[in-house]
Amino acid sequence: MKQEIKHFELDPELKKFCNKGPMSPLKIMCSPESVEDPIECLKEKFNKEELKDSEPCRIYIGKLIQEGEVDVNIDTTLQNACGTDLKMYCTDVEAGHGRRINCLVTLMKKKPKSLSEPCLDKLHERRDMWQKAQSMKIEGVEDLYYSIQKSHHANYLFGILAGICLILVGCGMSLGRITARAKERKAL
């Protein structure tokens, strides 16, 4: 984990969205010099809704949180807090597609006393984060732009939007000419 924390700067998306400019969240709120784990710090700021001033960073951290819900190996903090519990209760569960996390969440709901205290606390925290990340709404054109830009199908979606705009412009020009001709005929 220490290596991952140390080399968080190798994530080009994180640099692009959260470390741009002098007022970026990674420089002000979660600088590597002041916190042990900058990514975990950003996740906590996301959960407390303190990343509203940096929408691109908020969207990226939301996506990181959503990815962590699918695979416990992506979320090193959760993996460290629940490693023993995973080995004890979820070894027979195949990794991937959120199966191991589902195992832990099911235990949290049905037998919370069976999980260790750090794991239980981290699961409650993550559950809140996952819900907030899932409920991220597109609130304006800028959010729509960032959502499309982050999509794997960004070129396709921008192409569709451009096509719709061209069709609207073409229809407008055609209707404008038709109405102009109709006015000319009435005038004669």
Side-chain angles (χ1 to χ4, degrees):
M1 181 173 157
K2 292 267 187 215
Q3 259 186 332
E4 289 178 34
I5 293 169
K6 194 175 179 183
H7 298 295
F8 78 95
E9 291 179 345
L10 297 177
D11 183 348
E13 298 289 308
L14 184 68
K15 274 184 151 182
K16 179 180 178 183
F17 296 116
C18 299
N19 200 21
K20 206 174 202 178
M23 300 301 285
S24 67
L26 267 174
K27 290 182 181 163
I28 294 176
M29 297 181 216
C30 299
S31 72
E33 294 82 27
S34 61
V35 296
E36 185 178 328
D37 184 353
I39 294 174
E40 186 64 23
C41 174
L42 288 171
K43 287 178 181 179
E44 289 170 6
K45 299 294 182 186
F46 174 90
N47 200 30
K48 293 176 186 172
E49 298 185 13
E50 295 177 11
L51 292 177
K52 295 245 182 219
D53 295 337
S54 179
E55 192 62 18
C57 184
R58 184 180 78 85
I59 290 170
Y60 179 71
I61 296 300
K63 295 218 186 288
L64 275 182
I65 291 169
Q66 289 173 350
E67 288 172 4
E69 185 177 11
V70 175
D71 188 2
V72 74
N73 295 323
I74 292 174
D75 190 342
T76 54
T77 304
L78 183 62
Q79 187 179 21
N80 288 340
C82 297
T84 307
D85 299 291
L86 279 167
K87 287 178 184 174
M88 195 178 305
Y89 302 110
C90 304
T91 52
D92 58 332
V93 177
E94 189 179 337
H97 300 288
R99 289 186 280 264
R100 296 184 82 198
I101 287 181
N102 270 346
C103 174
L104 290 172
V105 170
T106 303
L107 278 169
M108 179 181 74
K109 290 177 182 174
K110 292 182 179 178
K111 300 177 187 175
K113 296 202 187 289
S114 64
L115 294 171
S116 66
E117 194 68 30
C119 181
L120 192 59
D121 292 343
K122 195 53 74 175
L123 278 171
H124 282 293
E125 180 185 309
R126 287 302 193 251
R127 186 183 59 191
D128 294 341
M129 282 186 194
W130 295 330
Q131 288 172 348
K132 283 185 182 173
Q134 290 294 333
S135 68
M136 283 182 12
K137 297 175 187 164
I138 296 176
E139 297 172 352
V141 176
E142 189 177 8
D143 285 352
L144 178 62
Y145 171 77
Y146 284 120
S147 295
I148 291 174
Q149 185 183 24
K150 289 292 297 162
S151 169
H152 296 291
H153 307 290
N155 291 337
Y156 175 74
L157 294 171
F158 281 126
I160 295 290
L161 287 174
I164 290 170
C165 290
L166 286 173
I167 289 170
L168 288 174
V169 168
C171 289
M173 289 173 54
S174 297
L175 291 174
R177 288 182 179 175
I178 291 170
T179 55
R181 286 181 189 160
K183 286 180 184 177
E184 285 177 11
R185 287 186 185 151
K186 280 188 177 179
L188 295 175

